[in-house]
Structures are given as C-alpha cells and as structure tokens.
C-alpha cells in the first residue's frame, strides 16, 4: 500500500472505458465513455470507419475481474464518500477518486491472489518459508509489482492472477510435483481450470499460447473427460471475445490495433531475441528461475517441457508485435503474466532447505544468499526507476538499468528526492492528489 497510486493514466484510460461501460452502462457502446473521458482520451477510444462506431482496441477481460471493485467505487461516488478533489481527478483521469481508489484496491487483491496461488504451487517444490519468500521476491523483482501498485489498471495484473489460478489448477489436476499418490480430481477443479483459462484469454488473448500447452499437458496424461470439461468451459468463458470483436470490427477474429491503424501489428518475430535477453536482464530474479530448469527436470519432465514451451511461445509472440521494444517499464511488461511459472522454477532451484541441511549440501545456502542479493538489487532498481522517471531533465519515462541506477546513485540528494516522491506520488499521503 505504501507504493499505491490511485490515478489512472495512459493505457489505463482504455481499460477504464471498458470497466465503465460494462459496469455502469452494461453495453459495448463507447459514446458515453467518450463524453466522460474526453479530458483524457487521446488514443484509447477511436473511430472505426467500417462499422461507423467508437471502438476500444484494448482487451476487456480486466473489466470483468475489476467489475466488483468499480461497482463499490460507484457506490462511494454516489454517496460522496472519499470523493476528494473531484475537479483534479476529473481533469487527470476523467472520473472521481472513489473509482480509481477501488480499482487500486482491486489490483492489490488480484496481486495478492497471484502471490498466494504461486506460493501454493511453489511449496510443493520447496519448504513453506522458502516458497513464500520466492513468491514475494519474484513479485517485487518483476513488472507485476509496478502494475499492482503504481499503475493499478492494466491487463498485466489481472493476467498474472488468472494465469496463477490456471497454473494452480493445472498442478492440482495433473498431480504435478506430488511425491505421494494424488487424490481423485473433482469436477470443480476441472471447472476452475476452464474458468481460469477463459479469463486469461479475455484479459490478454496472447495467453491462449499458455492455455493450449497447459491443456496439451492434460491430454498427455490422457485425462480425456476432464480435458473435455475444461476445454468446454474455456470456450464458453472466452466466447464473448469474438462476439465483441464482431460487434466492434465486423469480424470474429481480428487483431484490433491492426484493424484500426492499418499497420501490421503482428508480424515476423524480429524482436524475440531482444525480449528473451532483456527480460532477465531487467529482472535478475529470473536468472534464478532459469537455473531452476534442470532442478525441475528431475521432479517432472512434462512440466519442464510445458514451462519451456510456454516461455518460448510468449517470447515469440511478444517479439512479433509492432512495438516489440515497448513496455520496458521496470522490466519487460509483456512477459509479466508468466509470474507463477517463474515462481515454480525458482522454488525448484532453491528446493527444501531441511532436506539440503540433512544432506549437508551447500547449494541451498548459496542460492538463498543469491536471492537476498537480488532482493536488495530489486529495491535499488525500484527507487532508481522512481527517481529517474519523475526527475530526469530529458523527461524520458524509462531507460535500462544501466542508465537509471547510476542516475539515482549519482544524485547527491537522492533520499530527499525519494521522500518527496512518496509525499507527492505514492502511498496514502499522496492519495488525495497524486501527481501524474
């Protein structure tokens, strides 16, 4: 909460339009949203010539998961509860503080859900405390932290939560890392697997490339009745996506950004190598995840193959988008949704400290020392990012760690600047009027 900022900016305005129209208007017509958000709408709501209507090229799944929180925000707004500085917030984000405050709380809740679910899977590979610290450290060291606090309305935070639920359910139905015989799988588990898969596709359709390998893992085990049930629920939950596309773009299958701009948004994956190398460079905790691959191979070869395939598919598709270099916000944001898989790999690398102690192995101590160093680095990187993005004289939003960290460390008054940022942008003291 100390890092939270209840202010919707940039791409968040597009998601705000979605949740506003689905919760308050119960339709996919953006005429009302254009009027409400006209002070901040620049590219988020656009005109589609073919269908002669206003459209939103951003995914709407985030609105589904954030709908309860937005409804509470609407109640607060109508009752005048915590409606501070209304003119400021309407100028900055188009709606009052109660809406963005509750969307921020929703992002916090979804992040906590993702962390807990990742821990529940990770503790099958490591002791409970190691798994808990790993789940927290990976959260802190990847863009999921930023998109759960500073920028609370986006598709990465709910995408990670839905993926974590999918991974948790997949581990349950496949008996993933259990040493003892797995209990019978209940129908509810298959339903939750399909529900989480459908939500993943609604939140970020690229996550279909996580769902398919996951269901293929179930097929590998020949769990045909459960697979049929999960696949059916997935299709049913994801069905609104082509229907909404059909209404907005007159096509059931479309790349929305490409349909509106005319540019080839999804093409040759020329940036995939950059995505692959820059992701761990910006989030060094993921090097520990990569080290976990051979350790996981010893426990479950099928899950190791599944995770490798998923990571490579995401690298390929994220390197194939038009702005493959985009999203360098405290790490490579488009790889954020794989958070639970990073936790699983890192837990495999660290293992159970009790078993290692009895065997007299030094690896457990070395790996945990490396994790402590990475956590310390993550805090330095976070503060460096805040200092750079809000104070650099060139007004550049983001740069690599080789630029931002020296910039922060070279500031003679760095701690006074950080204190000022926390007064004016982040945390409860800034909530009545956080700076953009």
């Amino acid at each position: 909460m100390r890092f939270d900022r209840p202010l919707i900016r940039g791409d968040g305005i597009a998601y705000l339009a979605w949740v506003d129209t689905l919760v308050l208007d119960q339709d996919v017509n953006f005429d009302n949203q254009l009027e409400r958000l006209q002070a901040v709408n620049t590219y988020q709501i656009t005109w589609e010539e073919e269908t002669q209507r206003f459209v939103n090229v951003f995914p709407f799944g985030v609105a589904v998961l954030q709908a309860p929180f937005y409804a509470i925000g609407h109640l607060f707004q109508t009752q005048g509860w915590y409606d501070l500085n209304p003119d400021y917030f309407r100028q900055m984000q188009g709606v009052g503080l109660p809406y963005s405050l509750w969307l921020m709380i929703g992002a916090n809740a979804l992040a906590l859900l993702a962390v807990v679910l990742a821990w529940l899977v990770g503790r099958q590979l490591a002791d409970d405390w190691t798994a808990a610290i790993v789940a927290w450290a990976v959260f802190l060291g990847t863009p999921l932290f930023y998109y759960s606090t500073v920028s609370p309305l986006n598709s990465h935070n709910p995408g990670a939560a839905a993926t974590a639920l999918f991974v948790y359910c997949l581990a349950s139905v496949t008996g993933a890392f259990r040493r003892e015989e797995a209990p019978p799988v209940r129908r509810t588990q298959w339903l939750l697997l399909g529900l989480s898969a459908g939500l993943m596709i609604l939140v970020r359709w690229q996550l279909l490339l996580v769902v398919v390998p996951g269901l293929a893992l179930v097929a590998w085990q020949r769990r045909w009745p459960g697979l049929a049930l999960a696949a059916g629920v997935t299709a049913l939950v994801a069905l609104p996506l082509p229907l909404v596309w059909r209404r907005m773009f007159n096509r059931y299958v479309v790349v929305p950004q490409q349909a509106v701009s005319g540019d080839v948004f999804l093409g040759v994956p020329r940036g995939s190598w950059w995505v692959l190398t820059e992701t761990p460079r910006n989030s060094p905790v993921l090097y520990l995840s990569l080290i976990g691959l051979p350790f996981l191979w010893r426990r479950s070869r099928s899950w190791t193959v599944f995770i490798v395939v998923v990571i490579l598919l995401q690298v390929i598709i994220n390197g194939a988008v038009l702005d493959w270099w985009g999203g360098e916000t405290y790490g490579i944001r488009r790889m954020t949704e794989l958070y639970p898989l990073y936790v699983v790999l890192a837990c495999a690398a660290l293992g159970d400290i009790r078993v290692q102690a009895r065997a007299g192995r030094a690896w457990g101590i070395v790996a945990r020392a490396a994790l402590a160093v990475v956590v310390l680095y993550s805090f330095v990187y976070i503060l460096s990012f805040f200092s750079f993005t809000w104070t650099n004289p060139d007004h550049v939003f983001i740069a690599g760690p080789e630029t931002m960290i020296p910039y922060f460390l070279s500031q003679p008054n760095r701690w006074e600047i950080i204190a000022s940022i926390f007064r004016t942008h982040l945390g409860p003291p800034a909530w009545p009027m956080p700076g953009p």
Side-chain angles (χ1 to χ4, degrees):
M1 290 180 65
R2 193 62 187 88
F3 291 86
D4 277 341
R5 184 178 68 145
L7 190 66
I8 311 302
R9 304 289 290 172
D11 290 354
I13 298 298
Y15 300 115
L16 178 60
W18 269 121
V19 69
D20 190 81
T21 192
L22 293 182
V23 173
L24 301 188
D25 297 345
Q26 288 106 47
D27 60 28
V28 291
N29 188 324
F30 291 99
D31 291 359
N32 289 339
Q33 283 61 50
L34 188 65
E35 181 178 350
R36 291 171 190 158
L37 305 176
Q38 60 180 340
V40 290
N41 180 68
T42 53
Y43 59 87
Q44 295 87 353
I45 301 175
T46 58
W47 179 256
E48 171 61 19
E49 287 291 341
E50 183 175 342
T51 56
Q52 291 291 293
R53 59 184 297 123
F54 289 107
V55 300
N56 189 333
V57 302
F58 288 76
F60 62 87
V62 57
V64 176
L65 294 177
Q66 283 277 22
F69 300 98
Y70 199 73
I72 297 174
H74 183 62
L75 174 64
F76 269 59
Q77 180 71 57
T78 55
Q79 297 298 320
W81 298 335
Y82 207 67
D83 185 19
L84 306 178
N85 299 308
D87 293 339
Y88 174 82
F89 280 95
R90 288 191 175 88
Q91 177 190 4
M92 290 290 106
Q93 63 182 17
V95 297
L97 172 59
Y99 291 108
S100 55
L101 176 73
W102 277 98
L103 289 171
M104 180 193 72
I105 294 172
N108 290 172
L110 290 170
L112 183 59
L113 175 65
V115 171
V116 170
L117 290 171
W119 170 72
L120 288 173
V121 180
R123 67 196 291 259
Q124 299 176 40
L125 295 161
D127 57 276
D128 285 356
W129 277 104
T130 293
I133 293 170
V134 165
W136 170 74
V138 177
F139 167 75
L140 183 73
T142 59
L144 183 57
F145 170 80
Y146 178 85
Y147 287 107
S148 300
T149 54
V150 184
S151 181
L153 189 58
N154 55 84
S155 61
H156 305 294
N157 165 275
T163 303
L165 180 58
F166 179 76
V167 170
Y168 170 76
C169 293
L170 188 64
S172 298
V173 301
T174 60
F177 315 113
R178 296 181 180 273
R179 296 187 183 275
E180 71 279 2
E181 184 178 352
V185 180
R186 299 187 300 273
R187 180 175 296 182
T188 305
Q189 293 172 278
W190 293 111
L191 291 173
L192 280 175
L193 181 67
L195 173 64
S196 59
L199 288 174
M200 289 167 65
I201 297 169
L202 289 183
V203 172
R204 287 184 69 81
W205 58 263
Q206 299 94 322
L207 293 179
L208 175 64
L209 296 183
V210 179
V211 171
V212 172
L215 297 183
L217 184 59
V218 176
W220 175 259
Q221 294 188 345
R222 301 180 184 277
R223 312 292 292 272
W224 305 119
L227 176 62
L229 180 57
V233 174
T234 300
L236 187 63
V237 174
L239 182 61
L241 182 61
L243 296 180
V244 169
W245 278 348
R246 175 70 172 80
R247 183 169 178 81
M248 288 198 302
F249 304 105
N250 206 28
R251 279 167 281 179
Y252 287 108
V253 178
V254 64
V255 178
Q257 180 66 42
Q258 188 168 309
V260 169
S261 66
D263 298 324
V264 179
F265 186 74
L266 191 63
V268 178
R270 59 186 181 278
S272 292
W273 178 251
W274 185 91
V275 173
L276 180 62
T277 56
E278 287 295 306
T279 298
R281 192 178 77 86
N282 281 267
S283 302
V285 69
L286 300 185
Y287 285 119
L288 190 60
S289 298
L290 292 176
I291 292 172
L293 283 170
F295 291 90
L296 187 65
W297 180 262
R298 299 174 190 171
R299 290 292 300 271
S300 175
R301 294 185 177 184
S302 60
W303 264 77
T304 306
V305 172
F306 160 65
I307 292 177
V308 169
V309 168
V310 165
I311 292 175
L312 290 179
L313 287 176
Q314 289 301 305
V315 165
I316 290 171
I317 194 167
N318 289 324
V321 296
L322 182 64
D323 59 336
W324 47 266
W325 62 88
E328 199 177 350
T329 303
Y330 177 35
I332 310 305
R333 65 180 176 88
R334 287 181 177 136
M335 297 294 288
T336 299
E337 294 80 17
L338 302 187
Y339 161 78
L341 298 182
Y342 302 146
V343 173
V344 168
L345 289 173
C347 284
L350 268 67
D352 193 320
I353 189 66
R354 297 164 298 186
V355 175
Q356 294 163 348
R358 287 195 297 267
R361 298 172 186 165
W363 166 250
I365 297 175
V366 172
R368 284 161 178 78
L371 180 62
V373 172
V374 168
V375 168
L376 179 61
Y377 171 87
S378 297
F379 276 113
V380 173
Y381 194 9
I382 290 169
L383 298 180
S384 299
F385 166 71
F386 289 155
S387 177
F388 182 84
T389 193
W390 271 305
T391 68
N392 79 86
D394 297 326
H395 305 288
V396 177
F397 176 66
I398 190 72
E402 71 282 353
T403 299
M404 295 192 297
I405 292 178
Y407 176 86
F408 171 64
L409 296 179
S410 65
Q411 290 178 313
N413 57 338
R414 69 181 74 90
W415 298 117
E416 290 84 353
I417 291 173
I418 291 299
S420 176
I421 288 172
F422 275 96
R423 286 194 304 270
T424 57
H425 293 278
L426 305 174
W431 287 357
M433 195 179 289

